[in-house]
Amino acid sequence: MTQIKAAFFDIDGTLLPFEATHLPASTVDALARLRKNGVKTFIATGRPPVHLPYLHALDGTPFDGYVTMNGQYCYLADGTPLYTKYIPAASLQTLLPYIEKEQLSVGFVGKDFCRFNLINDLSRDFAKKLELGAGDVAALIQHEDIYQLSAFLPPEKEAEFLRRCPGCLAVRWEDDFCDILPAGGGKPNGLAHTLAHLGLTREQSIAFGDGGNDVTMLEYAGIGVAMGNACDAAKAAADYVTDDITADGLAKALAHFGLIE
């Protein structure tokens, strides 16, 4: 097996349980040992950079870089950008009349902001937790790049939403909402550009995930690991299924592949 040199970790449901306020002790220890063994560590999340400061569970745990917004905005720990891919403004303009008519709550996500067209019962708690507000998104898309949409709608409405937002796809890691990405987007793009910057191949990477938006990443990485609490699609895509996040699953998988002792 090619020696693993880079490891990519989803956050919610992978590094820490949903709504947790701190990383499991075994995960903190495993990440430290992994880095000590010379493996670069990266976050690979559906969240945008603007959300990360609110995740205090990650405070004090260093990473070499970040694959955010499902691979649409990637950068090193010092802020150096590696890759960006935004949704065409024309697609967003086509979408606006539909979400206004249907009164759908959609977050328009850029590098440093997430602004909703409106906030409703589905999105209120999410917006409050992250201190997000609503505003004139029609004006926003005229002068800001939008890398991702956070659309609060059930799975059965995804197809119609995408018809109204041409050139996009949907990935989901929460029941209440899905992330809308530009066509061809996804976490593998972020991994590919990050690995290229490091001079590494995909065979030299390992990725950990649990949700539907992790499926293509688990398929892309040299080794894809699904958490025991992962959805069925993620487990099917993985090379290895470890224990639940609350049962030291991450540390056990790293030990299984000889990356830590």
Side-chain angles (χ1 to χ4, degrees), residues 11-212:
I11 298 176
D12 301 276
T14 300
L15 279 180
L16 68 158
F18 286 94
E19 306 301 330
T21 57
H22 61 277
L23 292 176
S26 66
T27 296
V28 174
D29 178 66
L31 290 173
R33 285 188 285 161
L34 186 65
R35 290 173 60 85
K36 186 176 180 180
N37 289 342
V39 178
K40 301 285 189 182
T41 59
F42 296 86
I43 290 291
T45 180
R47 292 178 180 267
V50 72
H51 286 188
L52 298 183
Y54 293 88
L55 289 174
H56 294 296
L58 299 182
D59 291 351
T61 302
F63 291 92
D64 293 284
Y66 300 84
V67 173
T68 69
M69 293 190 267
N70 292 295
Q72 309 322 294
Y73 195 92
C74 309
Y75 55 99
L76 297 178
D78 64 4
T80 302
L82 298 178
Y83 173 71
T84 63
K85 184 178 178 67
Y86 58 84
I87 298 174
S91 296
L92 299 175
Q93 291 166 350
T94 302
L95 176 68
L96 290 180
Y98 171 69
I99 62 174
E100 181 178 356
K101 177 184 176 184
E102 298 294 324
Q103 289 293 283
L104 296 175
S105 180
V106 179
F108 289 68
V109 191
K111 174 183 177 292
D112 300 313
F113 63 86
C114 176
R115 189 175 304 166
F116 282 84
N117 61 315
L118 62 90
I119 294 172
N120 60 19
D121 289 343
L122 288 176
S123 60
R124 187 166 289 112
D125 288 346
F126 180 90
K128 182 178 180 180
K129 185 189 305 180
L130 297 172
E131 301 177 11
L132 305 174
D136 185 356
V137 295
L140 181 72
I141 64 177
Q142 298 296 324
H143 59 83
E144 295 282 0
D145 289 333
I146 306 299
Y147 299 97
Q148 177 172 283
L149 302 175
S150 295
F152 282 76
L153 74 165
E156 60 268 22
K157 290 189 176 183
E158 279 184 21
E160 179 62 22
F161 189 100
L162 291 173
R163 281 194 288 272
R164 308 291 183 141
C165 192
C168 290
L169 59 88
V171 295
R172 186 175 289 267
W173 54 279
E174 280 269 14
D175 292 337
D176 290 339
F177 70 89
C178 62
D179 293 327
I180 306 298
L181 316 178
K187 291 187 180 183
N189 286 348
L191 267 64
H193 285 83
T194 302
L195 291 168
H197 174 81
L198 298 173
L200 301 176
T201 66
R202 60 192 288 188
E203 289 77 20
Q204 293 173 290
S205 68
I206 186 171
F208 289 74
D210 71 294

